[in-house]
């Protein structure tokens, strides 16, 4: 049986020229609002002929680099600067972001584990379904801005995936590089089925993802990289005029070949990282210590790198529990092709 139409409606006309600001409205009926709606902000900037770029942030609600940069872009992008159509959704998962959380405060849903979605499902599943069946089909290229959120801090990179379609893969890889972050990477997802990435790629569209810092905040450095990257992305795919601006240092290419990249804690306690993000580590190096907080005079448990590489991600809070990812180590590679 085919799915019913999405219950979400847009207050903007996606086919109209010029700049429009409005909402994707998702009807809800709960104790706080009997005949209410989740209001997802959307900006559409359309001018002349050209491709459609969909720019998304807040897929996870506590990843502020993307949310903030797209909020800024939504109020500054002018129609006359655009060739084609730019659709900006700074906060995909509004119920998560309004609560300062990764997942929805309404249903606990992790939007990026909810695709392709369901028009008859939870609020989170309804949002996923609307993007899968309405937003993605009208788009040619999609940039989904992620970062570490409250529990991780991650180096800044643009990323694409290995795909069956070689042309689609190379176009996405070119966009991931042109984003112009200090690092670029080809990601292998352990469980890709329910990702937004897969919902986009399975429709033959070009998809670029990012990681851009973390800690549940933004910094002047992460904002500069994110804003330059969004602009580079639009220039690269022909929506804005100008030249792609690459970082001063040559871009570093990374690979994550297997699960040994992830160092996970087998203890709960107080976490000390011995390297900074971007540092080179060697196999066998002590990369973290976890202290028993219940008594003094106890030596910490040491965690060692299982591979050579650079520290690409780390747990952000100092308190750690069993099972948390403490550190992520990636390989430096000469090329991604
Ligand atoms: Zn994310």
């Amino acid at each position: 049986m085919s799915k019913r139409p999405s219950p979400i409606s847009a207050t903007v006309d996606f086919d109209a020229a010029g700049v429009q600001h409005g909402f994707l409205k998702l009807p809800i009926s709960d104790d706080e609002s009997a005949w209410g709606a989740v209001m997802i902000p959307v900006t559409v900037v359309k001018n002349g002929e050209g491709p459609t770029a969909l720019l998304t942030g807040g897929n996870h609600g506590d990843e502020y680099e993307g949310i903030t940069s797209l909020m800024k872009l939504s109020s500054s992008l002018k129609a006359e600067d655009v060739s084609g159509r730019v659709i900006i959704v700074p906060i995909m998962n509004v119920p998560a972001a309004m609560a300062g959380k990764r997942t929805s405060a309404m249903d606990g849903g992790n939007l990026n584990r909810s695709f392709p979605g369901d028009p008859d499902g939870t609020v989170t599943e309804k949002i996923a379904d609307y993007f899968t069946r309405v937003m993605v089909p009208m788009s040619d290229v999609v940039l989904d801005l992620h970062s570490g959120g409250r529990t991780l801090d991650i180096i800044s990179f643009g990323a694409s995936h290995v795909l069956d379609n070689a042309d689609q893969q190379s176009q996405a890889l070119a966009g991931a590089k042109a984003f112009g972050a200090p690092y670029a990477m080809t990601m292998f997802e352990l469980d890709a089925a329910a990702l937004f990435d897969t919902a986009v790629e399975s429709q033959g569209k070009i998809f670029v993802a990012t990681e851009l810092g973390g800690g549940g905040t933004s910094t002047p450095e992460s904002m500069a990289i994110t804003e330059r990257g969004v602009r580079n992305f639009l220039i690269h795919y022909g929506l804005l005029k100008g030249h792609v601006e690459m970082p001063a240092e040559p871009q570093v290419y990374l690979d994550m070949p297997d699960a040994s990249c992830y160092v996970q804690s087998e203890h709960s306690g107080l976490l000390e990282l011995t390297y900074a993000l971007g540092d080179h580590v060697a196999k066998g190096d002590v990369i973290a210590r976890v202290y028993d907080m219940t008594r003094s005079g106890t030596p910490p448990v040491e965690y060692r790198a299982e591979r050579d590489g650079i520290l690409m991600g780390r747990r952000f809070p100092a308190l750690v529990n069993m099972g948390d990812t403490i550190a992520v180590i990636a390989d430096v590679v000469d090329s991604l092709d």
Side-chain angles (χ1 to χ4, degrees):
M1 215 174 72
S2 62
K3 289 177 179 174
R4 70 171 176 123
S6 172
I8 297 178
S9 59
T11 67
V12 292
D13 177 355
F14 289 107
D15 296 320
V19 178
Q20 300 171 78
H21 305 291
F23 301 95
L24 311 175
K25 291 175 66 171
L26 192 172
I28 54 165
S29 181
D30 64 16
D31 291 335
E32 304 304 320
S33 188
W35 294 351
V38 172
M39 306 285 279
I40 301 170
V42 61
T43 290
V44 185
V45 182
K46 186 173 188 292
N47 181 52
E49 295 300 308
T52 293
L54 173 61
L55 309 177
T56 53
N59 186 337
H60 292 129
D62 63 350
E63 299 175 359
Y64 297 101
E65 297 82 351
I67 292 172
T68 310
S69 66
L70 293 183
M71 280 293 184
K72 289 174 76 172
L73 183 68
S74 71
S75 61
S76 63
L77 191 60
K78 295 183 174 61
E80 61 262 33
D81 296 334
V82 170
S83 302
R85 178 171 59 175
V86 180
I87 303 173
I88 305 168
V89 183
I91 309 172
M92 293 172 84
N93 195 343
V94 162
M98 293 305 180
K101 293 173 59 167
R102 177 175 180 83
T103 59
S104 176
M106 296 184 77
D107 57 31
N110 179 341
L111 180 58
N112 213 28
R113 301 292 184 276
S114 301
F115 286 85
D118 182 353
D120 295 309
T122 61
V123 164
T124 304
E125 289 166 343
K126 286 173 179 165
I127 295 171
D129 171 68
Y130 186 80
F131 276 83
T132 299
R133 292 195 296 152
V134 179
M135 301 297 280
V136 174
M138 69 172 90
S139 305
D140 299 296
V141 295
V142 178
L143 175 64
D144 190 32
L145 298 167
H146 287 259
S147 49
R150 289 190 303 176
T151 69
L152 292 171
D153 197 7
I154 307 176
I155 58 168
S156 296
F157 61 83
S160 59
H161 295 110
V162 174
L163 302 172
D164 293 337
N165 181 327
D167 182 54
Q168 185 188 8
Q169 180 179 325
S170 72
Q171 285 191 57
L173 176 58
K177 290 176 178 172
F179 185 83
Y183 301 88
M185 120 156 20
T186 303
M187 286 182 92
F188 175 77
E189 305 284 355
L190 292 172
D191 186 8
L195 297 179
F196 183 40
D197 316 37
T198 305
V200 177
E201 289 159 348
S202 65
Q203 296 184 42
K205 309 301 177 86
I206 304 304
F207 184 86
V208 173
T210 67
E211 297 292 347
L212 296 160
T217 189
S218 65
T219 64
E221 188 189 9
S222 66
M223 286 300 300
I225 292 169
T226 307
E227 291 180 69
R228 182 183 65 191
V230 171
R231 186 178 161 74
N232 281 345
F233 179 88
L234 293 173
I235 292 170
H236 176 78
Y237 289 112
L239 287 115
L240 286 182
K241 291 192 177 60
H243 296 285
V244 168
E245 253 184 82
M246 295 301 280
E249 297 290 314
Q251 201 167 41
V252 176
Y253 300 146
L254 299 176
D255 187 27
M256 292 174 61
D258 60 53
S260 73
C261 295
Y262 292 86
V263 180
Q264 290 180 319
S265 185
E266 297 181 1
H267 302 84
S268 297
L270 174 67
L271 174 66
E272 175 195 10
L273 267 294
T274 61
Y275 287 93
L277 282 182
D279 282 352
H280 284 266
V281 300
K283 184 175 180 174
D285 284 354
V286 173
I287 56 170
R289 302 185 183 100
V290 177
Y291 297 84
D292 179 347
M293 293 170 75
T294 63
R295 65 202 68 242
S296 57
T298 310
V301 179
E302 292 181 339
Y303 284 84
R304 292 174 187 274
E306 289 185 32
R307 57 190 307 117
D308 295 340
I310 69 147
L311 185 68
M312 66 151 277
R314 57 156 289 177
R315 180 169 172 80
F316 190 75
L319 298 188
V320 63
N321 282 308
M322 288 181 77
D324 291 337
T325 289
I326 297 174
V328 187
I329 298 167
D331 288 358
V332 176
V333 294
D334 291 335
S335 89
L336 295 175
D337 303 294

